[in-house]
Structures are given as C-alpha cells and as structure tokens.
Amino acid sequence: MSPVTPASQLFGLTGEVALVTGASSGLGARFAEVLAAHGARVVLAARRADRIAALAKGLSGAMALVLDVTKPETFPAAFDAAEREFGPVTLLVNNAGVANDGKFLDTDPERWDNTIATNVSAVWHLSREFARRLVGLKRPGAIVNVSSVLGCRVTPGAGAYCVSKAAVAQMTAAMAVELARHGIRVNAIAPGYIWSEMTEAYLKSEGGLATIKRIPQRRAGDPSDLDGALLLLASRKAAGFMTGSTVTVDGGHVWSFN
Ligand SMILES: NC(=O)c1ccc[n+]([C@@H]2O[C@H](COP(=O)([O-])OP(=O)(O)OC[C@H]3O[C@@H](n4cnc5c(N)ncnc54)[C@H](OP(=O)(O)O)[C@@H]3O)[C@@H](O)[C@H]2O)c1
C-alpha cells in the first residue's frame, strides 16, 4: 500500500502556476486567494484592472493580467505575459462568467451572443491555448471549469445562462477524454447559489429569499464554501485519477428545485 500523504501535502500547490479568469470579484477573487495560500503562483485575469491590481498586491506570488475573455485573439499574448513572469501556466481556472438573464421570447441577440462568448467560447479557446502549450512542453496540468447547478436544471428567465453552463459541463468531459493522454485533467465545479456581485440583488429579493427556502441547507453559499472542491480538483496529488467530473457544491439545491 502507498504511504498516507498528510493533507498539507495532498493539497499543496507549490510549483504550480495558476491563471484564474474573472478574478476581480466573487468566486474568482476567492479562488485566486486560496490557490496562492496553498503555494501556487497566481495570475489574476479580468477586465477591471484596478481591482485585480489591488487583489494581486495583497497576495504573495501573484500578478494582475488585464484580459477580456471574449477576445480570443488576445489569448496567446496573455499566456506569454504570464509565462514571462512565472513560467508556463499549469492550472487554468475558467471562472469568468455573466448571467445575462432574460425571458426566452424577449432574448436580445446581443445578450445571447455575449453569454455564449463569455461563458462558453472563452472556456473552449482559453483551454485550447493552455493545453497546446503544455502538450508542446510535455508537461502535465489541470483545468477547473465553473459550471452551475443551472447546467443540469433550468429556471425561467435564465435560459441562455442555463444553456451556457450545461455546455461547460459537457465541454469538461469532451476536453477530459482528449487531454487525458497528455496528462492534463479537466474537471468542473457546479456551484449552487453563492453570494457574489452576480447574485446579491437576486438573493436579497423576494424571489431570492423564496429560492433560499427551497435549498435543503436553507442558505446560499459563501465563496469559501468552494475552497475544498477547488483544492481537490486543482491538486494532482489529491485528484490525480479524477478527470471529466463536475462536482456540485450547492447545499443540496439540485435535488430540490421546484
Ligand atoms: N454566484 C453564484 O451563485 C454562481 C453559481 C454558479 C456558477 N457561478 C459562476 O461563477 C463564476 C463567477 O461568478 P461570480 O458569482 O463570482 O460573479 P461576479 O462576482 O459577477 O464575477 C464575475 C467575474 O467574471 C468576470 N468577467 C465577466 N465578463 C468578462 C469578460 N468578458 N472578460 C473577463 N472577465 C469577465 C468579471 O470581471 P471583470 O468585470 O472585471 O472583467 C468578474 O470577475 C461565473 O462563471 C458564474 O456563472 C456563480
């Protein structure tokens, strides 16, 4: 039998270089903090330069990278900049996302396009750029995508978002089966409702309070509720045999939609 690895080593990320998209707020800011606290060097990517600069300053071994994930033509330069600072990126967290809510019959084509560009196409193109570099170097790595419980259930008025997050879960499996042979693991987290800039107004509304009552644990999550799932999927020691999985972290919500 293999010796037992203590948890501090099992989830240690020293030597990893992580690029987190949407790191300027909410889940992404927390992901960056957690990865840095476990030894990874972290590239915080988002459009709001002031936010990521301030967050990076507060972390050890972190840099800010201004990036609009709807502009795939800028991705090679973004990875080049990260590499110049820290070496090749070995962990990609595809977290940037938008919730352009709206009823199906009223869908504005521009909002649909922006949802798909941000939540779906960006994940595909960033992952491709990331993986091609690692394959070229013959180095292992990991991708953690951010799906949602709304990737497997639907709620009225959020159709485009639900479709986009279902695509992320399916993309996770599709990339996993092709990248396994290159030592690159691809997994996803499917959060339930978590307090963030994206959800705060809704969770405080009448509809949001009713939703919270339907969550078996009777609360929305805090970004820190995702720490364990992130570290598990990021760590090759802890999750070396996991790929293609979508891990739900939702207080049981996915079983109680109505
Ligand atoms: N909160 C929840 O309940 C929940 C549940 C399930 C899944 N999720 C997913 O979790 C992820 C993070 O959401 P959040 O709740 O933390 O929301 P948030 O606080 O609104 O954060 C969204 C992040 O995405 C970034 N972003 C949006 N469009 C971008 C673009 N074109 N280019 C680069 N970055 C962009 C934003 O940064 P800039 O504006 O600075 O660019 C921001 O950092 C999203 O994928 C969301 O769908 C959230």
Side-chain angles (χ1 to χ4, degrees):
M1 288 234 287
S2 318
V4 174
T5 308
S8 56
Q9 287 171 33
L10 201 56
F11 298 105
L13 297 173
T14 303
E16 303 288 347
V17 177
L19 191 156
V20 181
T21 67
S24 56
S25 62
L27 278 51
R30 178 71 186 186
F31 291 158
E33 194 182 344
V34 170
L35 297 172
H38 286 78
R41 279 161 297 169
V42 181
V43 182
L44 293 95
R47 293 167 301 180
R48 285 172 290 179
D50 49 343
R51 291 259 199 125
I52 48 175
L55 288 163
K57 218 171 165 185
L59 304 176
S60 81
M63 68 175 275
L65 179 73
V66 176
L67 179 71
D68 182 338
V69 299
T70 65
K71 299 198 167 125
E73 67 281 6
T74 66
F75 296 170
F79 277 91
D80 286 347
E83 271 180 32
R84 275 195 300 276
E85 190 75 15
F86 294 139
V89 178
T90 57
L91 171 63
L92 173 64
V93 182
N94 282 310
N95 164 77
V98 287
N100 288 323
D101 293 347
K103 294 268 195 239
F104 175 61
L105 289 177
D106 305 327
T107 307
D108 167 352
E110 278 179 22
R111 283 168 78 85
W112 166 268
D113 287 348
N114 181 256
T115 301
I116 298 304
T118 310
N119 296 5
V120 181
S121 303
V123 177
W124 183 270
H125 296 305
L126 275 165
S127 299
R128 181 171 168 273
E129 183 67 31
F130 165 80
R132 284 169 69 102
R133 286 172 185 245
L134 284 185
V135 170
L137 294 167
K138 296 193 189 327
R139 288 189 57 174
I143 297 173
V144 179
N145 293 325
V146 180
S147 180
S148 167
V149 288
L150 291 176
C152 56
R153 304 298 295 258
V154 292
T155 190
Y161 183 79
C162 295
V163 168
S164 74
K165 292 300 180 178
V168 170
Q170 192 73 336
M171 207 189 299
T172 298
M175 294 192 297
V177 296
E178 291 201 30
L179 294 177
R181 76 199 64 174
H182 299 291
I184 300 172
R185 297 177 304 104
V186 190
N187 294 290
I189 302 174
Y193 282 92
I194 310 287
W195 288 99
S196 74
E197 285 176 23
M198 183 183 279
T199 55
E200 187 175 2
Y202 172 69
L203 289 173
K204 286 182 173 167
S205 71
E206 211 177 306
L209 293 171
T211 294
I212 290 173
K213 281 193 188 148
R214 292 196 294 272
I215 299 172
Q217 291 190 350
R218 299 287 184 270
R219 69 175 179 92
D222 181 82
S224 63
D225 284 313
L226 304 174
D227 294 357
L230 173 72
L231 284 173
L232 171 68
L233 300 180
S235 163
R236 80 181 67 156
K237 291 185 216 92
F241 197 49
M242 274 182 87
T243 198
S245 294
T246 294
V247 177
T248 302
V249 185
D250 69 340
H253 194 183
V254 79
W255 300 114
S256 68
F257 268 80
N258 53 31

